Amino acid sequence: MSKPKIAIFDFACCEGCQLQIVNLEEELLDLLGGADVVEWREAMSEKCDEYDIAIIEGSITRLEDEERLKLIRSRAKILIALGACATIGGINKLKNNFDDLDEVKKCVYGKDANKPHLATQPTKAVDEVVQVDAYVHGCPIDRKEFTYIMRCLLMGKEPEIPEYPVCVECKAKGNPCLWEYGQVCLGPIIRAGCGARCPSNGFRCFGCRGYIDNPNVDAAKDVIDKFGLNIDDLKTKMVLFGSRQEPTIHG
Amino acid sequence: MSVKKIAKKDFVEFVETLIRKERVFGVQAKGDRFDFAPLESAQDLRLDYDVTLQPPKKFFQPPAEVLMTFEVGGGYQSQYDDEPFVLLGVHPYDMVAINQMDELFSQDNYDTHYMTRRNNATIVACDVAKPSENVFASSMGTAVVKSGYDVLLTDIGDSYVCEAATEKGEKLMAAAKKAVPADDAALKSREAVWAKNKKGLNRHELKCDPAYLPKLLAKAYKHPVWEERAKTCFSCGSCNQVCPTCYCFNVQDDVNWDMKTGKRERAWDGCLLDGFTKVAGEHEFRKQRADRFRHRIYRKGMYVPEKIGGQIACVGCGRCVAACLPDIANPVAVYNRLIDDLGIG
Ligand code: SF4
Ligand code: SF4
Ligand code: SF4
Ligand code: SF4
Ligand code: SF4
């Protein structure tokens, strides 16, 4: 049996997630033992149009990127969304909060705003354009989770990604809850899998792994009241990774 | 078995010698809270704590553990953690919870992983010196404990009364050279602590005898309280995670890169979590938040008691009350609401 071919593509992102793969060190060799990486701009110069697994990093912000992504999808047997930009649109979705994208461009690029390569459209996550077979959540991704997912896929097994929120992992680590120390932590509505990375280091969860399937935003409103906070405190915390992603807080 | 008395400063010395000989975990400060952690200095031991963030169950059923390593399609090798250890400072309600877990893990399918750790433990319990904000052990009859521990300590001011209840406990206390047989005055002081705690660990007061709870729940399945409370439930499972009597787990296999060998792990699960009841074919039989919320209360007040001779599987530690952000998890609030509506008897 020949080894499955993997190709890695990047769209709008900081390439921080690819960097996590580069940083796998000895496990990278294990991965390369189980599969052939045939295209990877960050680590090699060859290009190839034949692959079994396509790993997509970054979000989709231009029409031509949508076309490119659809072509990749048509060639790949399995398509993986890598990192928050790809799985939920990530930070790039911030711009979707503005109705006038030309204004956004002017603000970001100044007088270069009208150059053709800067043409833009509202940001989309990968699954808003093509079907996604596996998600590697996080900004950046968790290396251990990435290698686990790759092993599962190479074995033809569906990886088990937590459906429960960050609080589960936070409590398993014995952390006191940051809400009691005045922080607006998004842990109860955000998908676990990072090992509660932020709360374990004293920082609130800002939601980089995206919402759980069924988040209870009404409960969040009650909790805001209980701690004497304002609904805007919660809204501003949700905007970084939750922009124009359901659910939005109304009122 | 023997009951002794030891001055507090001599006790510190005794713990110091213990640390040098054994693997010791004890209650220590963690920021402005408390938790069980490896004890490096006797000075760090805080027997005056109110409640620990996590219950001591993690020493017997860790949040995640490897059960075995295996070869795909071949044999397997069970993995055990069998190093003896001493656990210092378990409160009575937590001791009652451990006693219940011992029964559950040793009946039906004897759980060798749990029991190996349990049999390797020497437990030093201690009576509560400072009630926590949400404790209701007095309501649950768990404010004092009569069995399960190897040693029981009671703070009586300038010294501890220490009762060795097992061979292991006697052996442990033999190293406390300065301990003397407890006199009548010391025993009386201990009785006074017990009498005080039997009433005083009661920040939430249950309006019935806990023994009545299974009967109460038998008529409460369709009550509106489940919907009402679960409306603001995050399904975050915090109430499960911090509970000394929640023991559900999930088992998962992970295959190594060679695709030939792997390990089987189990990790804490929780009945409040979305997806907890998912079975083969993606069928989920407790999909609604209210069903899962009700299930936890029924587990504590009816289902588990049926397995362990009627003992109520909520020991009143109050941890779920503190951990639940929307303030809905308090079992006493639920039970009292049901009593108000349905009456007793
Ligand atoms: S998810 Fe975060 S780290 Fe990864 S590419 Fe996007 S911005 Fe960078
Ligand atoms: S700190 Fe955040 S993640 Fe941790 S328990 Fe509190 S809300 Fe949940
Ligand atoms: S705690 Fe929240 S923000 Fe931090 S890594 Fe995990 S999901 Fe992302
Ligand atoms: S249900 Fe709550 S109060 Fe009762 S034992 Fe569990 S955590 Fe403690
Ligand atoms: S009852 Fe409270 S702690 Fe339990 S799952 Fe619901 S919100 Fe979380």
Side-chain angles (χ1 to χ4, degrees), chain A residues 27 151 180-181 214 216 226, chain B residues 32-33 233 255 257 325:
Chain A
E27 275 216 88
R151 284 197 303 274
E180 291 168 41
Y181 298 86
N214 196 7
N216 193 342
K226 164 175 159 190
Chain B
D32 56 0
R33 309 296 172 86
C233 175
V255 175
W257 276 110
L325 284 172

Side-chain angles (χ1 to χ4, degrees), chain B residues 28-268:
Chain B
Q28 296 165 58
K30 180 169 178 174
D32 56 0
R33 309 296 172 86
F34 298 95
D35 213 357
F36 287 94
L39 194 64
E40 272 151 30
S41 155
Q43 302 293 343
D44 295 336
L45 184 66
R46 289 289 300 274
L47 295 181
D48 61 338
Y49 75 101
D50 54 358
V51 64
T52 54
L53 283 160
Q54 285 184 313
K57 74 173 173 188
K58 65 180 176 185
F59 294 103
F60 311 110
Q61 190 196 354
E65 66 182 312
V66 176
L67 295 180
M68 58 154 131
T69 52
F70 59 79
E71 274 176 48
V72 178
Y76 68 90
Q77 185 78 49
S78 291
Q79 302 292 320
Y80 292 105
D81 172 4
D82 54 6
E83 211 187 316
F85 64 98
V86 179
L87 199 51
L88 282 183
V90 175
H91 273 167
Y93 49 81
D94 277 337
M95 192 64 239
V96 173
I98 293 172
N99 293 342
Q100 294 185 356
M101 294 305 102
D102 291 352
E103 265 189 74
L104 287 161
F105 278 103
S106 57
Q107 62 182 214
D108 305 335
N109 296 313
Y110 186 91
D111 191 297
T112 46
H113 291 88
Y114 177 97
M115 291 309 290
T116 300
R117 289 197 187 82
R118 181 66 184 89
N119 291 331
N120 272 304
T122 303
I123 299 184
V124 179
C126 80
D127 280 307
V128 179
K130 186 179 164 227
S132 74
E133 248 173 75
N134 287 301
V135 68
F136 55 95
S138 304
S139 276
M140 305 311 292
T142 54
V144 297
V145 63
K146 293 283 165 223
S147 67
Y149 52 81
D150 298 292
V151 176
L152 173 68
L153 299 173
T154 312
D155 185 336
I156 54 161
D158 54 358
S159 45
Y160 292 108
V161 174
C162 29
E163 174 193 326
T166 61
E167 293 286 338
K168 263 194 216 167
E170 289 287 359
K171 231 176 100 203
L172 193 83
M173 289 316 296
K177 299 282 183 246
K178 293 187 177 149
V180 296
D183 49 36
D184 276 352
L187 292 178
K188 274 218 177 87
S189 303
R190 180 167 80 154
E191 290 288 348
V193 170
W194 287 346
K196 188 170 140 229
N197 283 352
K198 276 184 189 169
K199 288 213 161 67
L201 306 184
N202 219 16
R203 298 294 167 91
H204 307 283
E205 195 167 344
L206 183 66
K207 293 184 183 171
C208 71
D209 188 305
Y212 176 65
L213 292 174
K215 287 202 193 88
L216 177 69
L217 290 177
K219 52 188 183 180
Y221 203 75
K222 298 218 150 84
H223 196 276
V225 70
W226 315 119
E227 269 306 328
E228 278 165 30
R229 293 209 156 230
K231 258 204 314 262
T232 54
C233 175
F234 279 124
S235 301
C236 71
S238 292
C239 49
N240 295 130
Q241 301 278 309
V242 300
C243 179
T245 67
C246 272
Y247 60 95
C248 289
F249 53 79
N250 189 13
V251 176
Q252 231 184 44
D253 288 348
D254 189 5
V255 175
N256 297 325
W257 276 110
D258 60 14
M259 304 288 159
K260 292 190 193 94
T261 59
K263 54 182 188 291
R264 174 164 296 176
E265 288 177 299
R266 79 168 156 192
W268 289 355

Side-chain angles (χ1 to χ4, degrees), chain A residues 166-167 170-171 176-179 185 187-188 199, chain B residues 238 325:
Chain A
V166 175
C167 294
C170 190
K171 285 286 185 290
C177 182
L178 292 172
W179 278 86
C185 179
Chain B
S238 292
L325 284 172

